[in-house]
Amino acid sequence: MKRRLLALACVSASLLAGCGLLPADEVERSTVTVWLMRHSASQEYLDRFTQEFEREHPGLDLDIRIQEWTGIGEKVQRALDTAEGDGPDVIEVGNTQVTQYAEGDGLLDLTLESMRDWGRGDWLPGLAEPGRWGSQQYGIPWYAANRVVIYRKDLFRRAGVTAPPRTRDEWLTVTEKLDTGGTQGIYLAGQDWYTLAGFIWEEGGDLATERDGVWRGALDSPAALRGTDFYRRLQALGDGPVDADEEHPPQADVFAGGRVAQIVAVPGTARAIVKQNPGLEGELGYFPVPGRTPGKPGAVFTGGSDLVVPANTDVEEGAVEVVAALAGARWNTELARTMNYVPNKAGLARSVAGEEGVAAMAAGAAQGRATPSTPQWGAVEADNPIKEYMTEVLTGADPATEAERASRRITEALAFD
């Protein structure tokens, strides 16, 4: 109904202006308030977008307000719950956060636009799937980022490795060859559960599965156990701590300060490495996390952002136009080139092909996945049993027993309401 009323208002205003009853420069204008997260886009990009969008949409003004990630969940929820008309009309949210906002009918259903106009079938699955709640599309993919393997070219040369591995078996062989003397074949923290998730997905398993609306942990499936075993074998080819994640200590610091041949991280981590160790300038290379099939990257966790429209917006048509523009090919590829992101469609990856790290990331993104699409997943991460499970396995506990225990805890967390 809002959409029809706005359309009629616009038509009426246009007719009045055309008949000379209302001057064209006095046609009522609407402001679309957009919340974007800090560092998601450069100011130069936002300035250009605003100028071009307002030129192409004479009746709309943009008010882009930059938000901080810290505390954003509660702030977004308050905006969705209020009936006041001064809240945001478009919001950038983490791709795994969409369902928690959609569950309470706080978001506008954009399924029709997604299928009819925006090419939903071509979106990266790691962004598109968590943007759905039930069969409806609420989150519109904006940009993606995922892990790749960052490696030292000099250490590869010294070990006689002339090309990056193309399969997981080759990766193990190469890493074992690199793991000699004072060099770690790979630095892989014992609780890097995002990387583990990719290995589990590659085997055909999952962290949790849903049946008839009920979610249960799935770390104890045969496929998930195979993924865990691969993680165990790879992690053993380095000195990563078994009881800490990749930020404790930051793996960029470890890579910069020691003889480490590889880490699994987003390409942007290389900047932090070179800043700490300028001697590595030009010596860092990238390749997608290998999969089981030659030439096909392995599954990886895809992070990134989706765009959503609050159901309580009073400028629905304008908000939808903003989403269409930001997520459309032109501005999406511009953002990817500007910020070294992966575009929201695999077919747009050529726009970042000139940057080695981003090209490797884009190749992996085609096999990207996200955490289970349930609003309760945050409860799992809050007291993460996956991390504890990983440490137990890496210190010699029986994987099947520990997987069953961790799966029960996941099931309990997902049933919480």
Side-chain angles (χ1 to χ4, degrees):
M1 180 59 73
K2 286 183 181 179
R3 186 172 301 181
R4 290 198 189 94
L5 291 174
L6 182 58
L8 288 172
C10 292
V11 170
S12 299
S14 299
L15 289 174
L16 288 172
C19 295
L21 300 178
L22 183 65
D25 58 357
E26 292 184 15
V27 172
E28 184 177 355
R29 301 178 64 83
S30 298
T31 297
V32 181
T33 301
V34 182
W35 283 7
L36 299 180
M37 305 309 298
R38 188 171 301 281
H39 304 310
S40 287
S42 68
Q43 190 59 51
E44 187 270 339
Y45 171 91
L46 295 177
D47 290 343
R48 284 192 297 112
F49 175 77
T50 299
Q51 181 179 6
E52 288 296 310
F53 182 87
E54 291 180 347
R55 182 181 64 81
E56 295 169 359
H57 301 79
L60 295 175
D61 294 325
L62 286 187
D63 179 12
I64 297 178
R65 303 180 185 181
I66 303 304
Q67 308 295 314
E68 302 290 344
W69 282 110
T70 302
I72 191 60
E74 294 181 1
K75 188 172 184 179
V76 169
Q77 196 61 61
R78 285 196 301 271
L80 299 181
D81 292 341
T82 183
E84 299 176 5
D86 59 351
D89 304 298
V90 176
I91 309 175
E92 174 195 351
V93 300
N95 62 319
T96 61
Q97 298 174 336
V98 176
T99 55
Q100 72 186 70
Y101 303 133
E103 183 186 29
D105 297 324
L107 301 181
L108 190 67
D109 180 359
L110 298 171
T111 307
L112 176 60
E113 292 86 350
S114 300
M115 299 177 67
R116 182 189 62 198
D117 305 323
W118 299 340
R120 184 171 82 164
D122 299 324
W123 288 335
L124 296 175
L127 292 180
E129 291 173 2
R132 296 183 194 131
W133 175 240
S135 60
Q136 279 71 49
Q137 190 78 43
Y138 295 96
I140 307 306
W142 192 25
Y143 66 82
N146 51 267
R147 289 160 175 75
V148 301
V149 183
I150 303 176
Y151 71 98
R152 292 250 317 244
K153 296 178 180 179
D154 57 334
L155 296 181
F156 269 53
R157 288 194 301 268
R158 194 171 305 168
V161 181
T162 58
R166 299 175 70 244
T167 67
R168 295 205 317 185
D169 288 343
E170 289 180 11
W171 193 17
L172 282 174
T173 300
V174 165
T175 304
E176 187 173 7
K177 192 173 185 179
L178 291 161
D179 189 42
T180 182
T183 299
Q184 295 184 56
I186 189 169
Y187 179 86
L188 185 60
Q191 294 184 348
D192 185 353
W193 71 275
Y194 284 120
T195 297
L196 171 67
F199 297 164
I200 289 174
W201 291 327
E202 181 67 9
E203 289 288 348
D206 214 329
L207 305 177
T209 57
E210 181 266 339
R211 184 175 181 180
D212 298 329
V214 177
W215 285 88
R216 67 169 300 274
L219 294 176
D220 52 346
S221 73
L225 288 169
R226 291 195 299 270
T228 300
D229 187 62
F230 179 81
Y231 191 100
R232 178 190 61 79
R233 295 165 65 193
L234 185 66
Q235 199 272 342
L237 299 175
D239 299 327
V242 298
D243 57 351
D245 62 24
E246 66 276 17
E247 291 301 323
H248 300 89
Q251 61 179 347
D253 297 354
V254 178
F255 194 97
R259 291 169 59 88
V260 175
Q262 307 170 89
I263 57 172
V264 180
V266 294
T269 305
R271 289 193 294 271
I273 294 169
V274 172
K275 184 176 182 180
Q276 294 182 65
N277 187 349
L280 293 179
E281 183 75 49
E283 289 293 351
L284 300 183
Y286 314 83
F287 58 88
V289 173
R292 296 189 300 169
T293 305
K296 181 180 178 181
V300 290
F301 171 78
T302 299
S305 287
D306 282 12
L307 300 170
V308 300
V309 176
N312 59 13
T313 178
D314 56 2
V315 285
E316 182 178 314
E317 288 286 346
V320 170
E321 288 293 332
V322 171
V323 172
L326 284 172
R330 176 191 174 188
W331 290 105
N332 198 245
T333 54
E334 280 288 313
L335 181 70
R337 282 193 291 263
T338 300
M339 303 300 294
N340 287 343
Y341 292 144
V342 177
N344 59 13
K345 294 180 179 178
L348 300 177
R350 61 185 178 275
S351 67
V352 295
E355 166 58 46
E356 182 185 0
V358 183
M361 185 166 62
Q367 311 302 321
R369 296 277 299 274
T371 51
S373 185
T374 166
Q376 279 73 44
W377 184 255
V380 176
E381 294 191 26
D383 183 27
N384 201 326
I386 305 174
K387 288 186 173 185
E388 296 179 26
Y389 159 64
M390 296 171 73
T391 295
E392 292 296 330
V393 171
L394 294 177
T395 52
D398 177 61
T401 300
E402 296 304 324
E404 186 177 354
R405 180 179 292 116
S407 294
R408 283 199 304 269
R409 290 181 57 192
I410 292 173
T411 301
E412 292 168 359
L414 294 179
F416 179 82
D417 54 33

